[in-house]
């Protein structure tokens, strides 16, 4: 599938801002760090350690999916022109086992529409070998969904 033309990230977008939004979230718990805003891609790393292992000491597939959804959703939010994005569907093919070190994910757009976006996220090990390939479909919403917090009594 052909990729969309490289998106121009909104003015003022920074890695510091993206990383600050992760405080107190799953991303912080898993050690996900945004590392690069390139020409048409967003990149982040995640450690492969006790936080992200499954019982056999390998990178948990769910952790790879969490990295993929983090990258795709964050990139999608940046490209949504002030609208919110939420995940509709994600798939992942796990290609290689990893026991330690860092994995790096890179999100690139496949489709940037008014009501949906589709992102491809490739995750590699430290040697550049493919670990996981994922595709994320996002819905573009006119405003963020309501908070999950219970209303005040």
């Amino acid at each position: 599938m052909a990729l969309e033309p490289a998106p121009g990230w909104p003015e003022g977008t920074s890695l510091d801002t993206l990383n600050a939004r992760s405080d107190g979230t799953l991303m912080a718990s898993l050690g996900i760090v945004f590392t690069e805003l390139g020409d048409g891609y967003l990149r982040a790393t995640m450690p492969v350690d006790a936080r992200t292992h499954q019982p056999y000491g390998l990178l948990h597939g769910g952790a790879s999916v969490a990295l993929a959804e983090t990258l795709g959703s964050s990139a999608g939010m940046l490209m949504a022109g002030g609208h919110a994005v939420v995940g509709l569907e994600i798939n992942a093919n796990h290609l290689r086992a990893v026991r330690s070190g860092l994995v790096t994910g890179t999100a690139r757009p496949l489709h940037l529409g008014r009501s949906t976006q589709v992102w491809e996220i490739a995750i590699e090990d430290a040697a550049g070998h493919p670990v996981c390939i994922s595709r994320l479909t996002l819905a573009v919403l006119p405003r963020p969904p309501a908070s999950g917090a219970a209303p005040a009594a």
Side-chain angles (χ1 to χ4, degrees):
M1 179 176 255
L3 297 176
E4 286 273 322
W9 301 113
E11 189 171 325
T13 300
S14 75
L15 294 173
D16 289 340
T17 302
L18 286 171
N19 284 314
R21 291 177 60 107
S22 297
D23 287 346
T25 69
L26 175 72
M27 290 83 82
S29 298
L30 295 179
I32 295 171
V33 176
F34 293 99
T35 58
E36 192 175 350
L37 268 166
D39 187 17
Y41 65 90
L42 176 61
R43 189 166 285 150
T45 59
M46 181 178 68
V48 181
D49 59 21
R51 294 172 289 180
T52 58
H53 279 161
Q54 43 93 310
Y56 295 122
L58 303 172
L59 175 62
H60 193 294
S64 294
V65 172
L67 174 58
E69 182 142 2
T70 296
L71 275 162
S73 293
S74 297
M77 179 253 331
L78 292 173
M79 297 310 300
H83 297 289
V85 297
V86 295
L88 288 177
E89 189 269 344
I90 188 165
N91 69 41
N93 294 102
H94 305 291
L95 307 171
R96 179 182 298 269
V98 180
R99 290 189 177 277
S100 63
L102 276 180
V103 291
T104 300
T106 304
R108 290 185 166 83
L110 295 175
H111 168 73
L112 297 174
R114 287 177 307 194
S115 60
T116 61
Q117 297 179 3
V118 180
W119 291 83
E120 179 180 81
I121 303 94
I123 300 174
E124 301 176 334
D125 64 14
H129 298 121
V131 171
C132 177
I133 188 74
S134 183
R135 188 182 64 238
L136 172 66
T137 303
L138 301 171
V140 179
L141 304 175
R143 62 185 177 281
S147 166

